[in-house]
Amino acid sequence: MDGAAEELERRSKFLNSLIQKKKSTQQQDHNRRPNVRVRASDMPLVLQDRAFRCARDHLDSMPAKLDSKRLAAALKKEFDFSYGPAWHCIVGTSFGSYVTHSLGGFLYFSIDKVYILLFRTAVEPLD
């Protein structure tokens, strides 16, 4: 019986160490991620998450200086390709805007000090 108790204690310590390692890794990942904050939205959460991931990926791939035009183009292309045409994107550290958008197609968010406005407008086919 004494051997079984020791084995149980050993396994318990091992599992606790794995849990602590996982928590530590998750905390490090969270600390490395840019701070995402939704400022205003009329967009489903799935599309919001896609925008956040796309913006993060492109920001991480950029050198130290922000290339707002490149980021805006990448987000626009991604959303045009995935969700149909007429997406627009504005990226910067300071800008004003007043836009009309399609229902469910508006997201204004920030990652650290970069502000991103992504919105969709209706497209009317020419006769």
Side-chain angles (χ1 to χ4, degrees), residues 7 13 16 28-29 33 35 40 42 47 51 56 64 73 75 77 82-83 93 99 101 106 124 126-127:
E7 180 65 18
K13 286 180 181 179
N16 281 335
Q28 288 173 354
D29 288 346
R33 284 188 192 145
N35 186 19
D42 173 25
L47 272 69
R56 273 192 194 123
L75 280 166
K77 285 180 185 178
S82 299
Y83 305 109
T93 55
V99 299
H101 62 88
F106 178 85
E124 305 267 340
L126 296 174
D127 290 332

Side-chain angles (χ1 to χ4, degrees), residues 112-123:
D112 290 335
K113 296 183 183 197
V114 178
Y115 292 81
I116 300 167
L117 174 61
L118 179 66
F119 63 99
R120 185 178 194 178
T121 57
V123 177

Side-chain angles (χ1 to χ4, degrees), residues 90 94-99 108 117:
I90 300 168
S94 177
F95 61 86
S97 67
Y98 193 84
V99 299
Y108 179 46
L117 174 61

Side-chain angles (χ1 to χ4, degrees), residues 55 58-72 75 90-95 111-116:
H58 283 86
L59 282 170
D60 289 346
S61 71
M62 287 181 187
K65 189 175 180 196
L66 170 69
D67 185 349
S68 55
K69 187 175 179 180
R70 189 171 124 203
L71 179 57
L75 280 166
I90 300 168
V91 175
T93 55
S94 177
F95 61 86
I111 296 182
D112 290 335
K113 296 183 183 197
V114 178
Y115 292 81
I116 300 167

Side-chain angles (χ1 to χ4, degrees), residues 44-62:
L45 291 176
V46 174
L47 272 69
Q48 288 182 37
D49 289 339
R50 181 93 179 249
F52 302 154
R53 278 195 313 275
C54 186
R56 273 192 194 123
D57 292 346
H58 283 86
L59 282 170
D60 289 346
S61 71
M62 287 181 187

